[in-house]
Amino acid sequence: MRGTNDTPEVESNGADTPLVSYIIATYNRVDDLVEAVESALDQQYRPIEVIVVSNSTDRIREDELFGDGGRFDRDEVQYYHFAERMGAPGAKNAAIERASGDIVVQMDDDAVLADDTATDEVIRLFETYDNAGILAFQSLDYYTGEIKIDETPDPPEFHIEPDEQFWTTSFIGMGTAFRREVFEQAGLYPDNFVYGFEEMDLSIRALDAGYDILYTPSVAVYHKKTPEGRLSDKETKERLVENRINIAVRNLPWRYVLFTSVIYSVYVVLLTRSFSSLTNVFRRLYKKRDRLYAERDVVDSETIKRIKSSQTMLFLWWYGPHPKRILGRDGNLSRLKWEV
């Protein structure tokens, strides 16, 4: 059904179970979107709702799917189209603001839930772990079924494998569950992040608000990582570097901002083999300097100690992976190359 200002009533299965809101932000991936929405609707758990927020430029097929008499013309489905390009964080925020559930499950539009009991497992985990505010799902390659290491949060100990459950300091957004209160306490995604790492920014603020993040391979998605709807290769890499610096400015002491800026200035040149990329990054940062400074809210020193103790996102005075994760005995040199 088409989104309106009124949120439709979603029927319960009669049990005292919380409403779970599935949110999907999409841009020009209709075929993938169909499979993502179907996997949510196929869940055994009820009650659920599915919130789709679209920035797509070709609306014809989406209108057919979500309009009157369409495949997804159902009470539990809401569809909203925004003509202006919002970027992934802005679209996710729009979906979160329209969701009514106590539990919010975020899925990429090119991700598919691995089984129809995923929602039941999400509920069980939140009931089991009162301190968990965020559940980071396991990511499996859609075509091979293999675990996607590049989409697995860093474990607190180097020996922990990606098929084990562990507490972590960040999540990756292709499949994630939240308690609604996390957004109420930590805020939404930074909507000035055009592409990439908005999840890490929210992770830091959620940890600072007192919530824990649990990586749980018992809930998984098959992720295609479809190229349609993504930025160009060079711009993507620039935006990723830009957002690393954004995160430091928004959340961390100035010494982290300084060292992060220096390190990633070198990195973006090596990554793109272009000095113009460095110029592009800092030109964009300069343009939004007033807003970045206004949004700056440095996390507590205990939060920084907590992240550092897990040897994940913060090392010395810069914002990036612990060197052992790249150069250690079990290091992964591919971490030096960010995927598009």
Side-chain angles (χ1 to χ4, degrees):
M1 84 180 268
R2 202 170 287 284
T4 64
N5 291 327
D6 298 322
T7 302
E9 294 293 329
V10 181
E11 292 186 3
S12 172
N13 57 8
D16 184 18
T17 54
L19 172 64
V20 176
S21 299
Y22 277 87
I23 63 168
I24 304 173
T26 188
Y27 179 73
N28 290 347
R29 292 180 185 159
V30 178
D31 291 332
D32 293 330
L33 176 63
V34 168
E35 198 167 2
V37 173
E38 288 284 10
S39 76
L41 292 174
D42 286 345
Q43 291 296 292
Q44 294 182 16
Y45 180 93
R46 288 298 185 272
I48 66 168
E49 64 178 6
V50 181
I51 315 293
V52 177
V53 169
S54 171
N55 279 168
S56 299
T57 55
D58 182 2
R59 294 185 55 187
I60 296 176
R61 290 187 61 195
E62 286 186 4
D63 286 347
E64 292 174 350
L65 289 168
F66 295 96
D68 293 342
R71 182 171 182 172
F72 299 127
D73 179 19
R74 299 172 54 165
D75 288 343
E76 62 264 52
V77 178
Q78 300 174 56
Y79 168 78
Y80 301 88
H81 183 272
F82 294 85
E84 72 276 12
R85 186 73 191 271
M86 307 164 76
K92 292 173 188 175
N93 288 346
I96 293 165
E97 290 169 343
R98 287 159 176 78
S100 302
D102 293 329
I103 305 298
V104 176
V105 179
Q106 172 191 303
M107 290 174 55
D108 278 0
D109 58 357
D110 59 352
V112 179
L113 292 162
D115 61 67
D116 61 5
T117 61
T119 315
D120 296 274
E121 179 65 1
V122 165
I123 297 297
R124 185 191 71 80
L125 288 165
F126 276 134
E127 290 177 345
T128 302
Y129 302 102
D130 292 337
N131 56 322
I134 301 174
L135 304 178
F137 299 172
Q138 184 180 72
S139 180
L140 305 173
D141 187 287
Y142 180 85
Y143 303 100
T144 67
E146 296 178 351
I147 297 174
K148 293 176 71 70
I149 302 299
D150 61 309
E151 294 181 351
T152 302
D154 287 334
E157 302 291 339
F158 296 106
H159 63 83
I160 298 177
E161 297 295 330
D163 58 354
E164 299 178 55
Q165 180 174 291
F166 54 79
W167 297 102
T168 185
T169 57
S170 66
F171 68 92
I172 300 170
M174 72 287 151
T176 317
F178 306 84
R179 297 186 195 270
R180 168 167 288 282
E181 63 194 66
V182 170
F183 300 117
E184 296 169 352
Q185 297 299 319
L188 300 176
Y189 287 108
D191 58 11
N192 61 336
F193 283 35
V194 174
Y195 180 84
F197 294 131
E198 66 269 15
E199 297 95 348
M200 287 191 175
D201 185 273
L202 181 54
S203 295
I204 291 175
R205 289 184 285 110
L207 292 170
D208 195 52
Y211 296 97
D212 290 329
I213 303 171
L214 181 66
Y215 168 71
T216 172
S218 60
V219 186
V221 296
Y222 290 108
H223 193 201
K224 302 174 188 177
K225 208 157 190 177
T226 307
E228 285 77 13
R230 298 184 186 274
L231 303 178
S232 66
D233 180 74
K234 181 181 177 183
E235 184 180 356
T236 296
K237 292 171 181 175
E238 292 175 0
R239 294 288 188 177
L240 292 173
V241 169
E242 176 186 340
N243 288 343
R244 282 282 188 169
I245 299 173
N246 280 338
I247 291 171
V249 173
R250 282 168 51 87
N251 301 290
L252 301 175
W254 283 116
R255 62 184 181 274
Y256 287 91
V257 178
L258 174 61
F259 279 84
T260 296
S261 298
V262 170
I263 288 169
Y264 285 110
S265 292
V266 175
Y267 187 62
V268 73
V269 174
L270 296 175
L271 195 65
T272 64
R273 300 180 182 180
S274 171
F275 281 98
S276 66
S277 289
L278 180 61
T279 303
N280 292 339
V281 167
F282 279 93
R283 184 180 66 249
R284 287 193 287 259
L285 287 169
Y286 182 78
K287 284 183 177 180
K288 59 184 178 184
R289 65 191 183 282
D290 291 338
R291 178 176 176 180
L292 273 175
Y293 188 76
E295 293 175 343
R296 181 170 167 78
D297 186 10
V298 178
V299 300
D300 189 88
S301 59
E302 291 302 314
T303 302
I304 292 176
K305 289 180 183 178
R306 181 180 174 194
I307 296 172
K308 281 191 168 186
S309 69
S310 297
Q311 305 178 99
T312 52
M313 293 190 295
L314 298 179
F315 181 74
L316 293 179
W317 285 357
W318 67 290
Y319 177 62
H322 192 290
K324 281 188 178 180
R325 299 191 185 278
I326 299 173
L327 303 173
R329 185 185 67 182
D330 299 318
N332 181 1
L333 290 175
S334 66
R335 288 192 60 131
L336 291 170
K337 297 190 295 183
W338 288 335
E339 292 194 15
V340 176

